[in-house]
Amino acid sequence: GAVVSQHPSWVICKSGTSVKIECRSLDFQATTMFWYRQFPKQSLMLMATSNEGSKATYEQGVEKDKFLINHASLTLSTLTVTSAHPEDSSFYICSALQGAVETQYFGPGTRLLVL
Amino acid sequence: SQQGEEDPQALSIQEGENATMNCSYKTSINNLQWYRQNSGRGLVHLILIRSNEREKHSGRLRVTLDTSKKSSSLLITASRAADTASYFCATDPGSARQLTFGSGTQLTVLP
């Protein structure tokens, strides 16, 4: 089956630093990847849609200068949280689409804690 | 903002019992999907039902869809302790294939 990985699985950083999260499709090419954020005991909120070779499309209310997304290849998308603050602490999950398949394949998530 | 609401928010049952979760949404959809999330983990796709389908089965799972009421239900039969997780519905409006997730139901199956 289609497998999506994320790295790191968890990260703790100091306020003001930048953190990069990688999302990889391991056994398929993903033209589209999605980034979600999930706060404790809440649902997933779509942050942005990432298409290979083009700029990401951000959802309303998501600062594109703060959450930099790069989808440089068909198997890798990265999310960089710039100048992280404690309120950015959350669970970040990516997903990937395999061609015309309707199902999104989700990564295991990255837990970010900003001190 | 979230499109879907799920109820109940939390459900606790004994092993062997059936669990039913409901999802309501607001706009037209191409399909509706159900996912499971174990605590602190990623999402696992359970089942997809298209807008022209009314019922679908997969193992112990049964999903219904009523597009006139904009609602769906997920039934897990003969529940097991391993079914303990959060369950989310997600709607796909069509071409963009962007999912909008419901608020989720936390299911606890007691051994």
Side-chain angles (χ1 to χ4, degrees):
Chain A
V3 179
V4 175
S5 71
Q6 280 185 243
H7 178 80
S9 56
W10 59 270
V11 57
I12 301 174
C13 69
K14 293 182 178 180
S15 187
T17 60
S18 294
V19 175
K20 179 185 282 190
I21 302 169
E22 293 185 350
C23 176
R24 292 182 185 272
S25 54
L26 297 185
D27 50 2
F28 66 98
Q29 293 185 331
T31 53
T32 303
M33 289 183 171
F34 302 93
W35 287 95
Y36 298 86
R37 180 167 54 184
Q38 185 181 33
F39 292 108
K41 298 191 185 301
Q42 293 189 25
S43 189
L44 281 73
M45 298 298 291
L46 179 65
M47 298 176 66
T49 302
S50 168
N51 292 299
E52 186 265 338
S54 63
K55 291 184 179 180
T57 302
Y58 291 81
E59 294 301 298
Q60 191 172 6
V62 178
E63 300 174 57
K64 57 184 175 183
D65 294 331
K66 181 167 185 61
F67 298 99
L68 300 178
I69 292 173
N70 187 305
H71 193 157
S73 77
L74 286 172
T75 59
L76 173 65
S77 176
T78 60
L79 168 67
T80 301
V81 184
T82 62
S83 186
H85 288 99
E87 57 265 32
D88 298 324
S89 298
S90 187
F91 192 52
Y92 292 87
I93 306 176
C94 72
S95 69
L97 283 175
Q98 182 184 15
V101 175
E102 294 167 298
T103 304
Q104 290 186 22
Y105 299 100
F106 283 81
T110 297
R111 189 162 301 282
L112 171 64
L113 177 60
V114 184
L115 302 176
Chain B
S1 61
Q2 292 180 18
Q3 174 178 239
E5 293 297 325
E6 292 181 56
D7 78 270
Q9 288 188 332
L11 178 62
S12 184
I13 59 174
Q14 294 292 136
E15 211 166 23
E17 294 180 339
N18 295 342
T20 300
M21 289 158 266
N22 301 296
C23 166
S24 61
Y25 57 92
K26 297 177 183 175
T27 61
S28 61
I29 61 171
N30 181 54
N31 65 67
L32 184 145
Q33 303 175 35
W34 285 89
Y35 288 84
R36 183 185 73 208
Q37 182 182 36
N38 289 83
S39 181
R41 308 291 292 274
L43 272 70
V44 174
H45 182 262
L46 296 176
I47 197 166
L48 179 153
I49 187 166
R50 292 189 173 79
S51 60
N52 61 352
E53 298 176 310
R54 292 296 166 259
E55 188 171 312
K56 206 163 184 179
H57 297 254
S58 177
R60 293 184 295 115
L61 306 180
R62 172 177 170 257
V63 168
T64 63
L65 178 64
D66 187 335
T67 53
S68 66
K69 296 181 179 178
K70 291 187 169 56
S71 67
S72 174
S73 68
L74 171 67
L75 168 67
I76 303 175
T77 60
S79 64
R80 306 166 181 167
D83 294 330
T84 294
S86 291
Y87 291 81
F88 294 93
C89 67
T91 54
D92 179 352
S95 58
R97 292 191 280 173
Q98 293 176 332
L99 295 178
T100 300
F101 283 83
S103 51
T105 294
Q106 172 62 51
L107 173 66
T108 302
V109 181
L110 304 170

